[in-house]
């Protein structure tokens, strides 16, 4: 059974950096749609970075220019590099996988079938 496992969450100061990883087991990260979502307490889950099957990316405006999504298919791993972190980036971060998507819907939660358990990112001012 396909499973996703996120790691890399931590508590950091504003302006710092973190890299999150999501390992795919029981399946592959190749030729699928993957994305990073986050959810802060009391808020809806937000798609912040998505990557369609052929590698085209889409980012939420809130993270554009600060976060970078990438994929290493040799390691079945999706990565999110986060820079210039802000307190408002504090949330539980999830990775997700779907068989297919397009660049304009790759950040929509309803597209995704598989989800990880999440990793907590806390940014203090």
């Amino acid at each position: 059974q396909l499973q996703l496992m996120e790691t890399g969450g931590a508590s950091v100061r504003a302006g710092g950096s973190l890299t999150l990883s999501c390992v795919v087991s029981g399946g592959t990260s190749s030729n699928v749609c993957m994305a990073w979502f986050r959810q802060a307490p009391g808020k809806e889950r937000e798609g912040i970075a998505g990557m369609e099957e052929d590698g085209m990316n889409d980012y939420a405006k809130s993270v554009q220019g600060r976060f970078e999504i990438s994929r290493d298919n040799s390691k079945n791993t999706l990565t999110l590099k986060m820079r210039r972190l802000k307190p408002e980036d504090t949330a539980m971060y999830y990775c997700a996988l779907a068989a297919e998507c397009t660049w304009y819907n790759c950040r929509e939660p309803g597209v995704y079938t598989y989800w990880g358990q999440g990793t907590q990112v806390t940014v203090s001012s």
Side-chain angles (χ1 to χ4, degrees):
Q1 182 174 348
L2 191 147
Q3 293 184 323
L4 306 177
M5 175 68 75
E6 304 96 335
T7 58
S11 295
V12 298
R13 298 290 294 272
S17 301
L18 277 177
T19 297
L20 305 183
S21 296
C22 172
V23 175
V24 181
S25 60
T28 180
S29 64
S30 302
N31 299 316
V32 294
C33 187
M34 297 193 73
W36 286 98
F37 291 80
R38 67 185 181 188
Q39 188 166 19
K43 295 188 176 181
E44 292 186 356
R45 189 166 294 191
E46 175 190 19
I48 56 173
M51 177 181 285
E52 61 171 357
E53 300 97 289
D54 64 3
M56 185 173 289
N57 302 334
D58 185 55
Y59 294 92
K61 290 182 179 179
S62 58
V63 305
Q64 182 83 44
R66 298 188 299 123
F67 290 12
E68 180 182 358
I69 187 172
S70 62
R71 172 162 40 189
D72 185 343
N73 292 330
S74 69
K75 298 180 180 178
N76 273 346
T77 299
L78 183 75
T79 298
L80 184 70
K81 294 182 179 179
M82 306 185 291
R83 300 178 295 119
R84 303 198 306 274
L85 284 160
K86 305 174 181 180
E88 51 264 43
D89 293 319
T90 295
M92 185 71 79
Y93 283 70
Y94 302 88
C95 68
L97 184 151
E100 59 182 5
C101 67
T102 60
W103 69 266
Y104 58 82
N105 71 4
C106 64
R107 291 188 294 111
E108 295 181 11
V111 168
Y112 292 91
T113 306
Y114 299 97
W115 293 83
Q117 294 298 307
T119 187
Q120 177 68 37
V121 173
T122 303
V123 185
S124 58
S125 58

